[in-house]
Amino acid sequence: MTSIDWAKVRADFPILAQQVNGKPLLYLDNAASSQKPRAVISALVNYYERDNANVHRGLHELSSRATDAYEGARVKVAKYLGAASAEEIVFTRGTTEAINLVAQTWGARFVREGDVILLTEMEHHSNLVPWQMLAERTGARLRFVPVAEDGTLALERLGDLLTAEVKMFAFTHISNSLGTINPVAELCRAARAVGAVTLVDAAQSIGHLPVDVREMGCDFLAFSGHKMCAPTGSGALYGRAELLDAMPPWHGGGEMIVTVSYERSTYKKAPARFEAGTPNIAGAVGLGAAVDYIEGIGRATIFEHDLALTRHALARLGELPGVRVQGPRDRRGGLVGFTMDAAHPHDLTTFADQHGLALRGGHHCNMPLMKKLRLPGTTRASFYFYNTKVEVDRMADILAEAVRFFA
Ligand code: PMP
């Protein structure tokens, strides 16, 4: 494994070198959104200073440069995901839009009354609400793979739940509140055996560990750029080409048509069919730059680094009285959700902020899961490759002070 100069990597992130409330910023809210390296910020500045124009339509130099940059980013994302071709990548605003796209278009074509959509009890609202809306429209039913005591999926129930009525099995790769890493390839294999289509929510894994759609064997995968060093409003849906081409269009407008008359239109194939109107060109360019940046470090190296910080955080949190960590002990991603007997998550998060420490407190868009766990919410610390062991120790010291403060 190549050795990485992590201090040099950290210096790529200008935002981290600041004081918040009179203390050095300690940013541990990476599961909500990551920070951006200079390479990504410069890609945006360069694009706007040199190449900006609308894509695809223009027969002039800047338009062809913008088109090359936009389509070049699609090729980078396809390679990053191990997709068979760039045509399998639809740019979206992020995970939420990608899942809604599938629920609305694939759902409209393939889901009927009585069909079952299988989810898990640990889904983020963005991999739950779109399916509820589809179920309401079609009369389909929702089923859920339970979350067991230890924060993993109760896989022994899969045989009963994954029946021939299941048309879609949609699940998260990494839980954003428990940190659980789900056995994606195994779940996809089980779904395929009953003819169900799969969608993987990769929001929490895409920038943290190797993600390869063909190794996973999934049909769809959704992710957000902003959690992997790219700009907000960028992200993509991966879909197997034959599925994307069988789906009706979503938004109507320019770019997605072949012919238009006053009465009716014909549509392009994917991905253009799902990208009506002027897209987020700069966002895609920034996403391409983020892919290059992350690949420069290596996703396996990033995962190892995140995991070391998580293990250290688990050890330090274990020393604090009245602090309980949620989720599994092993096979977990770079985030730790916990409760503190003495303080509500919102109060604890506000306390942390006074010390320059950015955590997240609340239900983390997992309201049904929090209800099941009988928790008002949790406080979450989430790590990325620019965080350090010294920062984890500083977090633990601030939390120890909180235990005394709220007692
Ligand atoms: N799924 C998971 C597991 C997430 O953690 C998030 C973001 N918190 C989302 C989906 C939604 O991502 P976005 O808001 O970027 O669309």
Side-chain angles (χ1 to χ4, degrees):
M1 185 158 293
T2 49
S3 87
I4 301 281
D5 182 346
W6 292 110
K8 197 156 161 272
V9 167
R10 185 179 168 93
D12 288 339
F13 292 78
I15 202 170
L16 297 175
Q18 65 175 294
Q19 304 251 317
V20 167
N21 291 322
K23 307 276 170 33
L25 168 64
L26 175 41
Y27 187 80
L28 297 182
D29 195 16
N30 296 289
S33 201
S34 76
Q35 298 302 349
K36 322 301 172 200
R38 258 191 211 95
V40 169
I41 299 167
S42 308
L44 295 179
V45 171
N46 282 343
Y47 170 74
Y48 279 125
E49 285 189 350
R50 302 211 311 243
D51 302 329
N52 177 58
N54 212 331
V55 288
H56 300 141
R57 284 167 273 196
L59 292 172
H60 59 78
E61 171 64 20
L62 291 196
S63 176
S64 76
R65 272 193 235 157
T67 305
D68 287 349
Y70 183 68
E71 292 305 327
R74 199 190 305 278
V75 172
K76 284 181 188 180
V77 170
K79 283 203 184 116
Y80 187 72
L81 296 179
S85 84
E87 278 67 54
E88 297 186 318
I89 305 301
V90 179
F91 282 127
T92 66
R93 281 193 296 123
T95 311
T96 303
E97 189 173 60
I99 297 173
N100 276 277
L101 193 167
V102 177
Q104 290 188 29
T105 67
W106 176 88
R109 173 71 41 98
F110 294 106
V111 174
R112 299 278 167 272
E113 189 173 356
D115 289 344
V116 172
I117 295 151
L118 181 61
L119 306 171
T120 83
E121 285 182 345
M122 64 169 75
E123 296 314 309
H124 187 279
H125 295 166
S126 66
N127 196 27
L128 170 59
V129 181
W131 303 114
Q132 291 174 340
M133 290 161 70
L134 175 65
E136 222 164 89
R137 274 199 304 278
T138 57
R141 293 167 294 151
L142 302 181
R143 262 185 212 159
F144 298 89
V145 181
V147 171
E149 281 284 301
D150 67 353
T152 63
L153 292 177
L155 293 178
E156 71 281 3
R157 296 286 316 283
L158 207 57
D160 297 336
L161 296 165
L162 195 48
T163 57
E165 304 140 283
V166 176
K167 290 290 178 298
M168 165 62 76
F169 184 16
F171 49 86
T172 193
H173 189 179
I174 299 183
S175 159
N176 63 303
S177 56
L178 301 174
T180 319
I181 302 180
N182 288 322
V184 174
E186 189 186 325
L187 298 179
C188 288
R189 225 177 1 257
R192 235 185 350 266
V194 297
V197 165
T198 47
L199 181 146
V200 176
D201 173 352
Q204 291 299 340
S205 58
I206 192 68
H208 291 265
L209 74 174
V211 166
D212 185 301
V213 289
R214 281 183 288 175
E215 268 173 30
M216 286 177 170
C218 61
D219 295 302
F220 295 107
L221 181 138
F223 77 89
S224 304
H226 70 92
K227 293 183 202 277
M228 53 165 285
C229 300
T232 49
S234 69
L237 169 72
Y238 157 81
R240 277 200 303 111
E242 63 181 273
L243 278 172
L244 288 181
D245 285 329
M247 284 153 52
W250 189 29
H251 300 152
E255 288 298 310
M256 48 79 76
I257 48 80
V258 179
T259 62
V260 180
S261 70
Y262 282 117
E263 289 73 32
R264 63 179 300 275
S265 302
T266 58
Y267 311 118
K268 286 184 182 158
K269 289 169 73 119
R273 163 187 304 213
F274 301 108
E275 292 182 7
T278 302
N280 181 2
I281 307 162
V285 169
L287 179 57
V291 163
D292 288 343
Y293 184 84
I294 287 175
E295 294 288 62
I297 302 171
R299 283 178 278 178
T301 308
I302 289 173
F303 186 53
E304 214 169 274
H305 177 277
D306 287 3
L307 211 58
L309 292 188
T310 306
R311 287 206 188 102
H312 188 54
L314 289 173
R316 291 296 317 265
L317 289 173
E319 297 162 1
L320 299 177
V323 168
R324 258 186 301 275
V325 172
Q326 302 295 316
R329 285 218 71 80
D330 304 314
R331 260 190 83 76
R332 56 184 301 154
L335 63 94
V336 180
F338 57 92
T339 55
M340 183 182 283
D341 287 348
H344 186 279
H346 287 155
D347 296 331
L348 181 55
T349 309
T350 306
F351 179 91
D353 181 52
Q354 294 312 304
H355 293 74
L357 167 57
L359 298 175
R360 184 150 294 247
H363 55 65
H364 313 294
C365 295
N366 281 136
M367 276 169 83
L369 178 65
M370 292 298 149
K371 194 163 172 216
K372 176 190 161 97
L373 298 173
R374 294 202 173 79
L375 295 174
T378 63
T379 304
R380 182 182 70 191
S382 50
F383 313 109
Y384 212 9
F385 54 80
Y386 40 70
N387 292 126
T388 66
K389 195 163 169 234
V390 171
E391 285 186 313
V392 174
D393 283 327
R394 214 185 115 206
M395 172 192 79
D397 293 343
I398 294 167
L399 294 176
E401 205 175 317
V403 170
R404 290 191 292 274
F405 178 83
F406 288 107

Coordinates of all heavy atoms in Angstrom, one line a residue, residues 285-334:
V285 N -18.5 18.6 -13.7 CA -17.1 18.9 -13.9 C -16.4 18.7 -12.5 O -15.4 18.1 -12.3 CB -16.8 20.3 -14.4 CG1 -15.4 20.7 -14.3 CG2 -17.3 20.3 -15.9
G286 N -17.1 19.3 -11.5 CA -16.5 19.2 -10.1 C -16.6 17.7 -9.6 O -15.6 17.3 -8.9
L287 N -17.6 17.0 -10.0 CA -17.7 15.6 -9.6 C -16.6 14.8 -10.2 O -15.9 13.9 -9.6 CB -19.1 15.0 -10.0 CG -19.3 13.6 -9.7 CD1 -19.2 13.3 -8.2 CD2 -20.8 13.2 -10.2
G288 N -16.3 15.1 -11.5 CA -15.2 14.4 -12.2 C -13.8 14.7 -11.5 O -13.0 13.8 -11.3
A289 N -13.7 15.9 -11.1 CA -12.4 16.3 -10.4 C -12.3 15.6 -9.0 O -11.3 15.2 -8.6 CB -12.4 17.8 -10.2
A290 N -13.5 15.4 -8.4 CA -13.5 14.7 -7.1 C -13.2 13.2 -7.3 O -12.4 12.7 -6.4 CB -14.9 14.9 -6.4
V291 N -13.7 12.6 -8.3 CA -13.3 11.2 -8.6 C -11.8 11.1 -8.8 O -11.2 10.3 -8.2 CB -14.0 10.8 -9.9 CG1 -13.4 9.5 -10.5 CG2 -15.5 10.6 -9.7
D292 N -11.2 12.0 -9.6 CA -9.7 12.0 -9.8 C -9.0 12.2 -8.4 O -8.0 11.5 -8.2 CB -9.3 13.2 -10.7 CG -9.7 12.9 -12.1 OD1 -10.0 11.8 -12.5 OD2 -9.7 13.9 -12.9
Y293 N -9.5 13.1 -7.6 CA -8.8 13.4 -6.3 C -8.9 12.1 -5.4 O -7.9 11.7 -4.8 CB -9.5 14.6 -5.6 CG -8.8 15.0 -4.4 CD1 -7.7 15.8 -4.4 CD2 -9.2 14.5 -3.1 CE1 -7.0 16.1 -3.2 CE2 -8.6 14.8 -2.0 CZ -7.5 15.6 -2.0 OH -6.8 15.9 -0.9
I294 N -10.1 11.5 -5.3 CA -10.2 10.4 -4.4 C -9.4 9.2 -4.9 O -8.8 8.5 -4.2 CB -11.7 10.0 -4.3 CG1 -12.4 11.1 -3.4 CG2 -12.0 8.6 -3.7 CD1 -13.9 10.9 -3.2
E295 N -9.4 9.0 -6.3 CA -8.7 7.9 -6.8 C -7.2 8.1 -6.6 O -6.4 7.1 -6.5 CB -9.0 7.7 -8.3 CG -10.4 7.2 -8.6 CD -10.7 5.8 -8.2 OE1 -10.5 5.5 -7.0 OE2 -11.0 5.0 -9.1
G296 N -6.8 9.4 -6.5 CA -5.3 9.7 -6.3 C -4.9 9.2 -4.9 O -3.7 8.8 -4.7
I297 N -5.8 9.1 -4.0 CA -5.5 8.6 -2.6 C -5.8 7.1 -2.6 O -5.0 6.3 -2.1 CB -6.4 9.3 -1.5 CG1 -6.2 10.8 -1.5 CG2 -6.1 8.7 -0.2 CD1 -7.1 11.5 -0.6
G298 N -6.9 6.7 -3.2 CA -7.3 5.3 -3.3 C -8.4 5.0 -2.2 O -8.2 5.3 -1.1
R299 N -9.4 4.3 -2.7 CA -10.6 4.1 -1.8 C -10.3 3.1 -0.7 O -10.8 3.2 0.4 CB -11.8 3.8 -2.6 CG -12.4 5.0 -3.3 CD -13.6 4.6 -4.1 NE -13.2 4.1 -5.5 CZ -14.1 3.7 -6.4 NH1 -15.4 3.7 -6.1 NH2 -13.7 3.3 -7.5
A300 N -9.5 2.1 -1.0 CA -9.1 1.1 0.0 C -8.3 1.8 1.1 O -8.5 1.5 2.3 CB -8.3 -0.1 -0.6
T301 N -7.4 2.7 0.7 CA -6.6 3.4 1.7 C -7.5 4.3 2.6 O -7.3 4.4 3.8 CB -5.6 4.3 1.0 OG1 -4.9 3.5 0.1 CG2 -4.6 5.0 1.9
I302 N -8.5 5.0 1.9 CA -9.4 5.9 2.6 C -10.2 5.0 3.6 O -10.4 5.4 4.8 CB -10.4 6.6 1.6 CG1 -9.6 7.6 0.9 CG2 -11.6 7.2 2.4 CD1 -10.4 8.3 -0.3
F303 N -10.7 3.9 3.2 CA -11.5 3.0 4.1 C -10.7 2.6 5.3 O -11.1 2.7 6.5 CB -11.9 1.8 3.3 CG -12.9 0.9 4.1 CD1 -14.0 1.5 4.7 CD2 -12.6 -0.4 4.3 CE1 -14.9 0.7 5.5 CE2 -13.5 -1.2 5.0 CZ -14.6 -0.7 5.6
E304 N -9.4 2.2 5.1 CA -8.5 1.8 6.2 C -8.3 3.0 7.2 O -8.4 2.8 8.4 CB -7.2 1.4 5.6 CG -6.5 0.3 6.3 CD -5.3 -0.2 5.5 OE1 -5.5 -1.0 4.6 OE2 -4.2 0.3 5.8
H305 N -8.1 4.1 6.7 CA -7.9 5.3 7.5 C -9.2 5.6 8.3 O -9.1 5.8 9.5 CB -7.6 6.5 6.6 CG -7.4 7.8 7.3 ND1 -8.5 8.6 7.6 CD2 -6.3 8.5 7.8 CE1 -8.1 9.7 8.3 NE2 -6.8 9.6 8.4
D306 N -10.4 5.6 7.7 CA -11.6 5.9 8.3 C -11.9 4.9 9.5 O -12.4 5.2 10.5 CB -12.8 5.8 7.4 CG -12.9 7.0 6.4 OD1 -12.0 7.8 6.4 OD2 -13.8 7.0 5.6
L307 N -11.5 3.6 9.1 CA -11.8 2.6 10.1 C -10.9 2.7 11.3 O -11.4 2.5 12.4 CB -11.5 1.2 9.4 CG -12.3 0.0 9.8 CD1 -13.8 0.3 9.6 CD2 -11.9 -1.2 9.0
A308 N -9.7 3.1 11.1 CA -8.8 3.3 12.3 C -9.3 4.4 13.2 O -9.4 4.2 14.4 CB -7.4 3.7 11.8
L309 N -9.9 5.5 12.6 CA -10.4 6.6 13.4 C -11.7 6.1 14.1 O -11.9 6.4 15.3 CB -10.8 7.8 12.5 CG -9.6 8.5 11.9 CD1 -10.2 9.8 11.2 CD2 -8.6 8.9 12.9
T310 N -12.5 5.3 13.4 CA -13.7 4.8 14.0 C -13.4 3.9 15.2 O -14.1 4.0 16.3 CB -14.6 4.0 13.0 OG1 -14.7 4.8 11.8 CG2 -15.9 3.6 13.5
R311 N -12.5 3.0 15.0 CA -12.1 2.1 16.1 C -11.6 2.9 17.3 O -12.0 2.6 18.5 CB -11.0 1.1 15.7 CG -11.5 0.1 14.7 CD -10.6 -1.2 14.8 NE -11.1 -2.1 13.7 CZ -10.4 -2.3 12.6 NH1 -9.3 -1.6 12.3 NH2 -10.9 -3.1 11.7
H312 N -10.8 3.9 17.1 CA -10.3 4.7 18.1 C -11.5 5.5 18.8 O -11.5 5.5 20.1 CB -9.3 5.7 17.6 CG -8.6 6.5 18.6 ND1 -7.9 5.9 19.7 CD2 -8.4 7.8 18.9 CE1 -7.4 6.8 20.5 NE2 -7.7 8.0 20.0
A313 N -12.4 6.0 18.0 CA -13.6 6.7 18.6 C -14.4 5.7 19.5 O -14.8 6.1 20.5 CB -14.4 7.3 17.5
L314 N -14.6 4.5 19.0 CA -15.4 3.5 19.8 C -14.7 3.3 21.1 O -15.4 3.2 22.1 CB -15.5 2.2 19.0 CG -16.5 2.3 17.8 CD1 -16.4 1.0 17.0 CD2 -17.9 2.6 18.2
A315 N -13.4 3.1 21.1 CA -12.6 2.9 22.3 C -12.8 4.1 23.3 O -13.1 3.9 24.5 CB -11.2 2.6 22.0
R316 N -12.6 5.3 22.8 CA -12.7 6.5 23.6 C -14.1 6.7 24.2 O -14.3 7.1 25.3 CB -12.2 7.7 22.9 CG -10.7 7.8 22.6 CD -9.8 7.8 23.8 NE -10.2 8.7 24.9 CZ -9.8 9.9 25.0 NH1 -8.9 10.5 24.2 NH2 -10.2 10.7 26.0
L317 N -15.1 6.5 23.3 CA -16.5 6.7 23.7 C -16.9 5.6 24.8 O -17.7 5.9 25.7 CB -17.5 6.6 22.6 CG -17.5 7.7 21.6 CD1 -18.3 7.4 20.3 CD2 -17.9 9.0 22.2
G318 N -16.3 4.4 24.7 CA -16.5 3.4 25.6 C -16.1 3.7 27.0 O -16.6 3.1 28.0
E319 N -15.2 4.7 27.2 CA -14.7 5.1 28.5 C -15.7 6.1 29.2 O -15.5 6.4 30.3 CB -13.4 5.8 28.4 CG -12.3 4.9 27.8 CD -11.1 5.8 27.3 OE1 -11.1 7.0 27.4 OE2 -10.1 5.1 26.8
L320 N -16.6 6.7 28.4 CA -17.5 7.7 29.0 C -18.7 7.2 29.6 O -19.5 6.4 29.0 CB -17.9 8.7 27.9 CG -16.8 9.4 27.1 CD1 -17.3 10.3 26.0 CD2 -16.0 10.3 28.1
P321 N -19.0 7.6 30.9 CA -20.2 7.1 31.6 C -21.5 7.6 30.9 O -21.6 8.7 30.5 CB -20.0 7.6 33.0 CG -19.1 8.8 32.9 CD -18.2 8.5 31.7
G322 N -22.5 6.6 30.8 CA -23.8 7.0 30.3 C -23.8 7.3 28.8 O -24.8 7.7 28.2
V323 N -22.7 6.9 28.1 CA -22.7 7.0 26.6 C -22.8 5.6 26.0 O -22.1 4.7 26.4 CB -21.3 7.7 26.1 CG1 -21.2 7.6 24.6 CG2 -21.3 9.2 26.6
R324 N -23.8 5.5 25.1 CA -24.0 4.2 24.5 C -24.0 4.4 22.9 O -24.7 5.2 22.4 CB -25.4 3.7 24.8 CG -25.4 2.6 25.9 CD -26.8 2.0 26.2 NE -27.7 3.1 26.6 CZ -27.9 3.5 27.8 NH1 -27.2 3.0 28.8 NH2 -28.7 4.5 28.1
V325 N -23.1 3.5 22.4 CA -22.9 3.6 20.9 C -24.0 2.7 20.3 O -24.3 1.6 20.7 CB -21.5 3.1 20.5 CG1 -21.4 2.9 19.0 CG2 -20.5 4.1 21.0
Q326 N -24.6 3.2 19.2 CA -25.6 2.4 18.4 C -24.8 1.6 17.3 O -23.8 2.1 16.8 CB -26.7 3.3 17.8 CG -27.4 4.1 18.8 CD -28.2 3.2 19.8 OE1 -28.9 2.3 19.4 NE2 -28.1 3.5 21.1
G327 N -25.5 0.6 16.8 CA -24.9 -0.1 15.7 C -23.9 -1.2 16.0 O -23.6 -1.4 17.2
P328 N -23.5 -2.0 15.0 CA -22.6 -3.1 15.2 C -21.2 -2.7 15.7 O -20.8 -1.6 15.4 CB -22.6 -3.8 13.8 CG -23.0 -2.8 12.9 CD -23.7 -1.7 13.6
R329 N -20.5 -3.7 16.3 CA -19.1 -3.4 16.7 C -18.2 -3.6 15.5 O -17.2 -2.9 15.4 CB -18.7 -4.4 17.8 CG -19.4 -4.0 19.2 CD -18.4 -4.3 20.3 NE -17.3 -3.3 20.4 CZ -17.4 -2.1 20.9 NH1 -18.5 -1.6 21.3 NH2 -16.3 -1.3 20.9
D330 N -18.5 -4.6 14.6 CA -17.6 -4.8 13.5 C -18.4 -4.5 12.2 O -19.5 -4.2 12.2 CB -17.2 -6.3 13.5 CG -16.6 -6.7 14.8 OD1 -15.7 -5.9 15.2 OD2 -16.9 -7.8 15.3
R331 N -17.6 -4.6 11.1 CA -18.2 -4.3 9.8 C -19.0 -3.0 9.8 O -20.2 -3.0 9.5 CB -19.1 -5.5 9.3 CG -18.5 -6.5 8.4 CD -19.4 -7.4 7.8 NE -20.1 -6.8 6.6 CZ -19.6 -6.7 5.4 NH1 -18.4 -7.0 5.1 NH2 -20.3 -6.2 4.4
R332 N -18.3 -2.0 10.1 CA -19.0 -0.7 10.1 C -18.2 0.4 9.4 O -16.9 0.3 9.3 CB -19.4 -0.3 11.5 CG -18.3 -0.1 12.5 CD -18.8 0.2 13.9 NE -19.6 1.5 13.8 CZ -20.6 1.8 14.6 NH1 -21.0 1.0 15.6 NH2 -21.1 3.0 14.5
G333 N -18.9 1.4 8.9 CA -18.2 2.5 8.2 C -17.7 3.5 9.1 O -17.8 3.4 10.3
G334 N -17.3 4.7 8.6 CA -16.6 5.7 9.3 C -17.5 6.7 10.0 O -17.4 7.9 9.9

